Amino acid sequence: MVVKMATSFLASVLLLVGLATMASGSEKSPAVVLPVDDDERIHVMFILTNVRSNLHLSRRFTIYAESLLATTDAALTIHAIVDDGGRQHVRMFFPESLEPRVQVVFYDRDDVTDQIIEFVSDMRSHFSSSNSSYYHDAIFFVGPVVYRVLPPSVQRVIITDTDLKFLADIRELWATFDRFSDEQVIGLAHDAQPVYHHIFHQYRRANPGTRVGSAPPDGLPGFNSGVMLQDLEKMRRTDAYRNVLDPELVAQLADRYQFKGHLGDQDLYSLLVVEHEHLFHTLPCNWNRQLCRWWEKAYAENFEDFFRCDGA
């Protein structure tokens, strides 16, 4: 189980399980080719930037790292997208003494941004509220194209936010990959608030009874990208997923469903699932237990339909 804790609209709490480490040296890390046949190794990716100027982010990452290390003895490779401050912070919590069981591979935030900027430029108009908004930053759109960023030897990865607390062994979450269908490439839990119930409000008004934006278990309430499983090997091998990222097709979907988001990549997943549900595996809510109740006042009549998580 993973818990995401939130103290504001932008922050939420997750309970996940895991382990991490760090590499030495301050220079940018070269691309690392990891062994393909290490079937027991779990790959985890996160972004850690601006930590020097954000005390709350630093405190949350402390909880994330310590809980990750406390809940598993699995062999891990951590893929950390960082700036200089993030690199140093990761080193504090994941020393080389944890190697070889825990490896850390660093990716420079600016280098990754350069790799994905064309994709980001096409997506920002649909999934960012303004040029100055928090989720306008290009790095918040890396999720859909991680298969381009990580080396080909990495076939599966768990991508997480860093404001989470791990309450279970990450092996249990990794095992979920075995429950993916042949077509499913991404695993996400539903968003626990009526965010997309709200964002799809114009389409819902014109289409009473639609599943779009409706609460679980039968609706399509949208996803929260704080905990995400990606089958990178399938993404690289087949056209089905890559084709739906075509900018023209995404623009058509946004127009058809009168969608204007503000939360970066999770908006994209929450829009794509409306017509491409076969690509997504829905994780149980206890793998991304979000605690934020920001939308409760606006949607008091049905908030619990979205927030409820049986068994968490």
Side-chain angles (χ1 to χ4, degrees), residues 45 52 68 104 122 150 188 230 245 260 296:
M45 190 189 104
R52 286 175 175 166
L68 182 62
V104 174
D122 291 327
L150 299 190
L188 292 156
Q230 290 198 2
L245 299 181
K260 177 59 178 176
E296 186 170 15

Side-chain angles (χ1 to χ4, degrees), residues 13-233:
V13 181
L14 294 166
L15 301 175
L16 188 61
V17 184
L19 180 73
T21 46
M22 67 181 219
S24 61
S26 58
E27 71 284 352
K28 293 181 181 179
S29 299
V32 175
V33 178
L34 301 167
V36 177
D37 59 351
D38 191 353
D39 294 336
E40 299 302 314
R41 184 165 293 276
I42 294 171
H43 293 269
V44 180
M45 190 189 104
F46 58 76
I47 300 167
L48 188 65
T49 62
N50 302 318
V51 69
R52 286 175 175 166
S53 60
N54 190 326
L55 181 59
H56 291 298
L57 182 59
S58 175
R59 289 172 174 169
R60 290 171 184 155
F61 184 75
T62 299
I63 295 171
Y64 174 90
E66 291 180 347
S67 65
L68 182 62
L69 291 168
T71 49
T72 190
D73 61 359
L76 297 179
T77 295
I78 305 300
H79 302 269
I81 299 176
V82 295
D83 55 13
D84 288 343
R87 182 189 298 269
Q88 293 175 10
H89 213 66
V90 170
R91 289 195 183 111
M92 286 172 55
F93 290 95
F94 305 113
E96 287 182 294
S97 60
L98 292 176
E99 295 182 0
R101 182 171 62 92
V102 179
Q103 304 171 348
V104 174
V105 183
F106 289 111
Y107 302 79
D108 181 78
R109 171 231 176 93
D110 293 336
D111 290 346
V112 172
T113 298
D114 289 344
Q115 278 185 263
I116 66 172
I117 195 62
E118 183 177 352
F119 171 78
V120 172
S121 298
D122 291 327
M123 296 297 133
R124 271 178 170 158
S125 62
H126 308 298
F127 311 121
S128 176
S129 57
S130 71
N131 290 346
S132 60
S133 68
Y134 183 75
Y135 288 103
H136 189 75
D137 192 318
I139 206 65
F140 291 115
F141 292 88
V142 69
V145 287
V146 164
Y147 69 90
R148 301 182 191 172
V149 175
L150 299 190
S153 57
V154 181
Q155 299 185 1
R156 293 174 171 179
V157 66
I158 296 172
I159 304 170
T160 72
D161 288 348
T162 57
D163 58 346
L164 315 181
K165 183 176 181 180
F166 292 82
L167 301 182
D169 194 321
I170 200 168
R171 283 192 185 96
E172 298 175 29
L173 180 59
W174 187 260
T176 303
F177 278 116
D178 295 333
R179 294 191 280 277
F180 277 30
S181 72
D182 290 342
E183 293 181 296
Q184 290 171 339
V185 296
I186 296 179
L188 292 156
H190 289 145
D191 200 288
Q193 297 195 84
V195 178
Y196 296 102
H197 183 79
H198 178 80
I199 290 176
F200 282 114
H201 71 278
Q202 290 183 327
Y203 179 82
R204 291 175 53 78
R205 188 180 301 120
N207 296 271
T210 181
R211 295 176 65 215
V212 177
S214 294
D218 299 322
L220 295 171
F223 291 122
N224 184 286
S225 60
V227 175
M228 175 164 49
L229 278 63
Q230 290 198 2
D231 191 320
L232 305 179
E233 191 274 333

